[in-house]
Amino acid sequence: MFRQVSTGLCAAALLCLIGGAAAAQSNIRGSTTGPTTAPGYNHPEQYMHLDAKKPAPNMYPVIRHEKLEENAAGKLATLAEKTGKKPNILIFLLDDVGWMDPGFNGGGVSVGNATPEMDRYAAEGLILTSAYSTPSCSPTRATIHTGQNPLHHGILRPPMYGEAGGLDGATTMPMLLQKEGYVTQGVGKWHMGENTGSLPQNVGYETTSAFSACPTCTPSGATSTSIRKSRYRRIASK
């Protein structure tokens, strides 16, 4: 008797799992009864029913969004046909920003600081959440430049007082953009090492207007001596 009941429960649970998986495939974002047409934002939980795939053997698995990729490729093709130009690419990297600081993640006005522009970009664009940030500025910045895990580029914490960085000899994002015909410029805090090979003019930036590190890392917040003596200032002044 008990065996029959337990077998029946197991079968019912299996059917629920199968049904739930099938429903998840069709229910991208919405209630338990189906997708919603209400405006909103994409959050990581909506991708739990998708399988991550490696773009290359040496890369971490990612969630592919094929329809979004096709849509983006179509817009780029339309822009190129209309203007004959490639789109400008701007990357803003903010230090010390919490997950719920921007309005589109539940912060904004509710925490005392409205973020209307960030919210608008989020509503009109794509929020990428299949990524991570290190709990320190320099490793994150170097990872964005190289696409490498910090263990690979070697910048595991902010370089201090003239220490070398890990960008020397690395293939960086601005280098790749230059090959595609882009003019590259770096503005703001650098803080990825002060050895010659890790300076902005040597990792793909044609012009720079930046400083080495935070006020606590160099005397009075000034650019360090090693950078002042390099081509850094002359390039920035062009």
Side-chain angles (χ1 to χ4, degrees):
M1 177 67 178
F2 177 75
R3 181 177 299 175
Q4 291 177 345
V5 172
S6 61
T7 302
L9 290 174
C10 290
L14 179 60
L15 288 174
C16 288
L17 284 173
I18 295 174
Q25 290 289 342
S26 60
N27 184 17
I28 301 302
R29 183 175 67 84
S31 65
T32 57
T33 57
T36 179
T37 57
Y41 302 103
N42 297 334
H43 291 282
E45 289 75 21
Q46 78 176 87
Y47 307 132
M48 291 179 67
H49 63 289
L50 301 177
D51 293 328
K53 298 180 180 179
K54 285 189 173 185
N58 64 321
M59 299 181 71
Y60 290 112
V62 298
I63 299 295
R64 294 291 303 272
H65 303 277
E66 295 181 359
K67 291 184 178 180
L68 293 174
E69 291 174 6
E70 292 175 2
N71 185 33
K75 290 183 177 180
L76 291 173
T78 301
L79 177 67
E81 183 179 354
K82 182 178 180 180
T83 65
K85 298 180 180 179
K86 298 178 180 179
N88 293 324
I89 301 173
L90 299 176
I91 297 178
F92 296 90
L93 179 61
L94 285 69
D95 279 3
D96 304 316
V97 176
W99 172 259
M100 290 187 64
D101 286 346
F104 65 87
N105 272 342
V109 175
S110 64
V111 296
N113 293 284
T115 56
E117 295 300 324
M118 294 177 70
D119 297 346
R120 180 169 64 85
Y121 292 142
E124 296 176 355
L126 174 66
I127 303 175
L128 302 175
T129 54
S130 297
Y132 75 99
S133 173
T134 65
S136 183
C137 58
S138 297
T140 297
R141 192 177 294 108
T143 292
I144 288 176
H145 275 78
T146 63
Q148 294 179 322
N149 183 288
L151 292 175
H152 292 279
H153 57 63
I155 301 180
L156 304 179
R157 58 170 176 76
M160 306 293 284
Y161 302 109
E163 286 184 336
L167 300 184
D168 192 359
T171 299
T172 66
M173 175 177 56
M175 288 179 179
L176 297 177
L177 289 174
Q178 279 186 334
K179 292 181 179 180
E180 294 296 323
Y182 278 90
V183 175
T184 57
Q185 182 182 46
V187 178
K189 179 180 175 184
W190 185 246
H191 206 185
M192 286 186 284
E194 299 183 9
N195 56 310
T196 301
S198 291
L199 298 183
Q201 70 270 21
N202 296 321
V203 297
Y205 287 105
E206 297 178 41
T207 60
T208 58
S209 178
F211 57 95
S212 173
C214 57
T216 59
C217 301
T218 51
S220 301
T223 305
S224 71
T225 303
S226 61
I227 291 183
R228 277 204 299 268
K229 289 183 178 179
S230 71
R231 295 186 296 118
Y232 185 69
R233 287 294 184 183
R234 292 199 290 273
I235 290 177
S237 64
K238 289 183 180 179

